[in-house]
């Protein structure tokens, strides 16, 4: 049986907005927007991988909140799993340090203004109710 490799993506939420990151590479993905994240390493917990990826890619100190239900196939052997996440107190604001050349905090009304990677679209759709919940809480 072929191993599956989990790619974790973060629905990073703040004040009812979701962070979208524009990929700068590879050429076939450049210019498309994604939930930031990356591959889980062998022996690594997915939540730990996500915190690591967010530190590496965006320079932030984040924590995961909950798993977004579902799992979405990428190019084999990769599958995408998504967690909601938030910045920890005292974290720097996200910056596009690696893999990305632009970031946007999107309100619910703006969610479909960016050209999401096809494979991220169902995951983004699943996170929308959580975004609204976050908005109401403030
Ligand atoms: O940073 P790392 O090399 O671990 O992973 P990556 O290159 O950011 O992502 C691994 C693969 O997952 C790539 O083929 C991405 O296109 C894909 N991916 C995705 O489809 N959606 C995301 N939100 C994140 C990654």
């Amino acid at each position: 049986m072929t191993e599956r490799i989990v790619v974790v993506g973060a629905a990073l939420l703040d004040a009812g907005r979701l962070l979208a990151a524009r990929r700068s590479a590879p050429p076939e993905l450049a210019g498309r927007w994604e939930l930031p994240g990356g591959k889980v390493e062998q022996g690594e917990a997915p939540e730990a991988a996500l915190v690591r990826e967010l530190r590496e890619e965006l320079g932030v100190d984040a924590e995961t909140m909950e798993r977004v239900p579902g799992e979405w196939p990428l190019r084999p052997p990769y599958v995408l799993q998504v967690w909601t996440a938030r910045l920890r107190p005292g974290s720097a604001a996200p910056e596009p340090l690696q893999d990305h050349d632009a970031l946007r905090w999107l309100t619910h009304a703006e969610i479909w203004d960016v050209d999401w990677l096809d494979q991220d679209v169902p995951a983004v759709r699943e996170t929308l109710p959580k975004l609204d919940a976050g908005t109401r809480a403030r």
Side-chain angles (χ1 to χ4, degrees), residues 17-18 104-114 116 128:
R17 298 168 308 164
L18 171 69
R104 276 186 69 179
W105 286 107
L106 302 169
T107 65
H108 190 155
E110 295 166 336
I111 283 291
W112 305 114
D113 289 358
V114 302
W116 292 100
L128 283 178

Side-chain angles (χ1 to χ4, degrees), residues 20-130:
R22 190 171 68 190
R23 288 198 69 111
S24 52
E28 63 274 20
L29 301 180
R32 308 287 300 278
W33 294 75
E34 70 172 7
L35 299 172
K39 300 178 200 88
V40 177
E41 290 171 1
Q42 210 164 10
E44 190 180 35
E47 292 94 333
L50 202 44
V51 168
R52 174 182 55 72
E53 290 282 350
L54 293 176
R55 182 180 304 114
E56 291 172 1
E57 295 185 356
L58 305 174
V60 298
D61 182 18
E63 62 189 1
T64 57
M65 292 188 284
E66 41 181 341
R67 172 91 184 268
V68 174
E71 179 175 277
W72 298 279
L74 305 175
R75 202 168 33 181
Y78 300 106
V79 296
L80 178 65
Q81 297 182 357
V82 174
W83 272 258
T84 54
R86 65 182 167 201
L87 299 177
R88 299 183 66 228
S91 171
E95 282 184 85
L97 300 176
Q98 264 187 17
D99 300 346
H100 305 116
D101 61 6
L103 301 176
R104 276 186 69 179
W105 286 107
L106 302 169
T107 65
H108 190 155
E110 295 166 336
I111 283 291
W112 305 114
D113 289 358
V114 302
D115 185 17
W116 292 100
L117 289 176
D118 295 339
Q119 58 268 32
D120 282 37
V121 166
V124 170
R125 196 177 288 127
E126 285 297 319
T127 65
L128 283 178
K130 296 173 194 286

